[in-house]
Amino acid sequence: MTFKTISVIGLGYIGLPTAAVFASRGLDVIGVEVSEKAVNTINAGKVHIVEPDLDMVVRGAVNAGRLRATLTPEPADAFMIAVPTPFKGDHEPDLSYIEAAAKSIATVLKKGDLVILESTSPVGATEQLSLWLAATRPDLTFPHACGELADVQVAHCPERVLPGKVLQELVSNDRIIGGLSPYCTERATELYELIVAGECIATNARTAELAKLTENSFRDVNIAFANELSTICDQLDVNVWELVRLTNRHPRVNVLNPGPGVGGHCIAVDPWFIVHSAPEQAKLIRLAREINNNKPLYVVDQVRDLADQSKKPVIACFGLAFKADIDDLRESPAMDICEAIAEQQIGEVLAVEPNIGELPERLAEKGVELVSVNEALERANTVVILVDHKSFIRLPKEKFAAKMVVDTRGLLSRLS
Ligand code: SAJ
C-alpha cells in the first residue's frame, strides 16, 4: 500500500519541516499541534520558528492545499511523532509528550497504519510507544506482541538534522530506520524513500535509539575535550585556537572548537539518556557532560577577574543564541553567562544579539540592556564574545583594540 495521507504530531523545529517536505512531494499532510497559536499561524501559510527557507516551503504547501494543521488527530496512513523528549529530576528521560501523542493518535488508528517515533529517545522507548498504543486499542494488534503479523507497524527513525540546515539535511542525510520487526522497518523505509536522497539504513529499534544518542554523545565528548584543552591552555599561557589549528594538521587528529559551553536541546540533553540507562558504564559520557556544563561558570569567573581591573565595568555580551546565526536562545550557555554576570552585579551589562528584537524577560528583569553592536562597542570597556555570528566576524579587529576581551569562540583571531 502506498502512503497518501500522513500525519505529523508536533509541529516544532523537526515536525514542521518534515511535514512541509512530505507535502512538497505531493502527499496530503495533517499536522497535529497542541499550540492553537501555532496551528493558526501554519494554516495562514506562516511559520512560528526561524529556519532558513522554511517559510517559503510551508507557504507553498499550505497554498497548494497539501498541508493543514489541527489540534486533534485525524485518520492517516502513517503517523510521525516529533515531540520533545526533555529530561526531568535526576536526568531521567521525560517521555510524557510521547505518551500523550500515543494516546491521542491511538484513537484514530486502523489496520495497516504505520507509526514512527522521530523524537530522540532512550533505548526501549519505541517498544514502550507500541505498548501505549496497544493499551488504548485492544482491538488492534501491535508488533511488540505480534511481530510481523501485527495490524499496525511501529518504527524509530531518529531525526538527525542540524538546526540552520534542516531542510537541506532532511533530504540529504542518510536515515537510520529501526522497526520493532523487519516488516515495520520495510514499511518505514518505503515512507522515507519518498523524501530522502541519502541512504535509508535498516536496523532494529533499540539500535536506532542508541545510534542517535551515540551521535550526539560523540560530539559532546569531543567538545568537552576541546573545552578542557581551553582551560589547560589558559593555565599554561598557550593560545588554544592556535593549538587546535596546529594539532589538526595531523592527518588523524580533528579537535573540535572550544566554546562557552554546549547549548541546544539535543547535545546537552541526549547523553544523559545513555547515562541514565547505564550509569555504571557511561563514565566518560557523564564526565563530558559535567565538563561542558561547568564551562559557563568558568567563563563568568574569567569575566569577573577582568572586570575587577576596571573602576566602573561596562560589560558587553556578544551573542545570546546557543550557536552562530540562529535565533534560538533555548539551553544557551551564552544566556546563562549573561544572566550570571548581571545577577552577580559584576558590572553594567549590555547584550548584543542581532537575531532577536526583544530581550528575554529573565535578562531584562536583571537590568541587562539589548543594544546594537555599535552602541556596545561605544559604551563597554569589557567584551565577552559568546557566539561567532557572521555579522560579528565582519567587524574590524581594531574595534576591540582598547577593550578587555574574554573570547570564548576564538573570534578575534578570525577578524581582519
Ligand atoms: N559546539 C562547540 N564546539 C564545536 C561544535 C559545537 O562548542 O566544535 C557547541 C555549539 O556552540 C552549541 C552546541 O555545541 O552550543 C551544539 O551545537 P551543534 O552544532 O554541534 O549541534 P546541534 O545541537 O545544533 O545539533 C545536533 C546535531 N548532532 C550532531 O552533529 C551529531 C544534529 O545533527 C542533530 O540532529 C541535533 O543535534 C539533534 O536534533 O539531535
Side-chain angles (χ1 to χ4, degrees):
M1 194 193 91
T2 53
F3 299 97
K4 289 201 177 70
T5 305
I6 63 157
S7 181
V8 178
I9 321 300
L11 294 175
Y13 281 83
I14 302 301
L16 184 56
T18 304
V21 169
F22 273 102
S24 72
R25 297 296 150 89
L27 276 87
D28 288 321
V29 182
I30 303 162
V32 184
E33 181 37 69
V34 288
S35 152
E36 194 169 349
K37 200 169 160 212
V39 167
N40 294 336
T41 306
I42 294 160
N43 285 337
K46 299 193 180 117
V47 292
H48 58 300
I49 50 182
V50 174
E51 179 61 38
D53 299 331
L54 183 63
D55 50 347
M56 202 175 67
V57 184
V58 168
R59 193 169 53 242
V62 172
N63 288 345
R66 294 271 183 224
L67 172 63
R68 180 167 59 83
T70 93
L71 287 165
T72 41
E74 296 174 22
D77 305 321
F79 296 84
M80 310 170 89
I81 300 175
V83 295
T85 40
F87 56 67
K88 55 184 178 185
D90 187 23
H91 301 118
E92 184 192 341
D94 176 2
L95 301 187
S96 59
Y97 296 93
I98 298 180
E99 185 177 2
K103 289 184 173 156
S104 74
I105 61 170
T107 56
V108 295
L109 278 182
K110 58 186 184 311
K111 192 172 175 183
D113 284 356
L114 169 68
V115 178
I116 287 175
L117 179 61
E118 283 221 1
S119 313
T120 305
S121 299
V123 175
T126 311
E127 190 172 347
Q128 178 61 64
L129 164 64
S130 189
L131 284 159
W132 279 322
L133 295 171
T136 312
R137 291 298 301 272
D139 56 318
L140 291 170
T141 57
F142 290 85
H144 68 271
C146 298
E148 302 281 271
L149 302 172
D151 292 334
V152 175
Q153 313 312 317
V154 182
H156 181 49
C157 306
E159 61 81 12
R160 305 160 97 191
V161 290
L162 194 71
K165 281 189 179 177
V166 170
L167 284 171
Q168 182 192 325
E169 290 204 357
L170 252 180
V171 174
S172 63
N173 285 2
D174 291 342
R175 196 89 198 202
I176 298 174
I177 317 248
L180 285 182
S181 73
Y183 182 54
C184 295
T185 307
E186 202 181 297
R187 287 290 285 150
T189 303
E190 279 168 34
L191 179 63
Y192 282 96
E193 278 179 344
L194 297 172
I195 62 159
V196 171
E199 203 179 322
C200 290
I201 309 154
T203 181
N204 59 39
R206 291 178 78 82
T207 310
E209 287 157 349
L210 191 55
K212 166 64 199 241
L213 301 179
T214 301
E215 290 162 11
N216 280 352
S217 298
F218 173 86
R219 201 151 165 83
D220 197 45
V221 168
N222 281 281
I223 298 169
F225 180 77
N227 279 336
E228 183 167 287
L229 267 183
S230 73
T231 60
I232 293 169
C233 283
D234 289 342
Q235 182 69 22
L236 302 180
D237 198 20
V238 171
N239 180 319
V240 69
W241 307 101
E242 187 187 359
L243 179 83
V244 170
R245 228 179 5 257
L246 294 179
T247 55
N248 284 352
R249 298 293 284 267
H250 185 288
R252 283 173 298 284
V253 173
N254 185 17
V255 179
L256 292 185
N257 296 314
V262 169
H265 18 280
C266 311
I267 295 189
V269 174
D270 303 352
W272 288 118
F273 292 1
I274 300 183
V275 175
H276 188 261
S277 319
E280 288 298 310
Q281 291 77 15
K283 296 190 179 72
L284 180 61
I285 295 173
R286 177 199 289 273
L287 185 60
R289 266 301 59 243
E290 287 164 359
I291 289 171
N292 287 333
N293 272 350
N294 282 330
K295 190 68 197 285
L297 308 175
Y298 176 84
V299 174
V300 174
D301 286 345
Q302 282 183 307
V303 174
R304 191 185 308 99
D305 288 349
L306 216 56
D308 278 352
Q309 296 171 28
S310 157
K311 275 206 189 86
K312 193 177 172 300
V314 181
I315 304 156
C317 295
F318 271 58
L320 294 175
F322 87 82
K323 64 177 186 175
D325 305 317
I326 58 168
D327 69 333
D328 196 343
L329 308 183
R330 293 177 299 167
E331 337 277 348
S332 169
M335 282 284 293
D336 294 343
I337 290 166
C338 184
E339 186 179 16
I341 295 170
E343 209 162 43
Q344 294 174 25
Q345 301 180 342
I346 297 173
E348 193 180 331
V349 187
L350 311 174
V352 185
E353 179 45 79
N355 296 319
I356 61 169
E358 207 185 327
L359 209 56
E361 193 49 39
R362 61 183 258 224
L363 294 187
E365 72 190 9
K366 293 189 180 77
V368 179
E369 260 183 88
L370 183 67
V371 299
S372 67
V373 170
N374 286 339
E375 185 175 345
L377 287 169
E378 252 165 51
R379 288 172 56 190
N381 47 29
T382 308
V383 170
V384 195
I385 297 166
L386 296 170
V387 188
D388 45 353
H389 286 313
K390 275 200 193 83
S391 57
F392 298 164
I393 298 174
R394 285 196 282 267
L395 291 168
K397 201 174 193 164
E398 76 249 15
K399 296 263 185 198
F400 295 90
K403 313 283 181 205
M404 295 190 287
V405 182
V406 174
D407 182 5
T408 71
R409 296 281 186 180
L411 184 96
L412 289 186
S413 61
R414 288 186 265 163
L415 303 182
S416 39

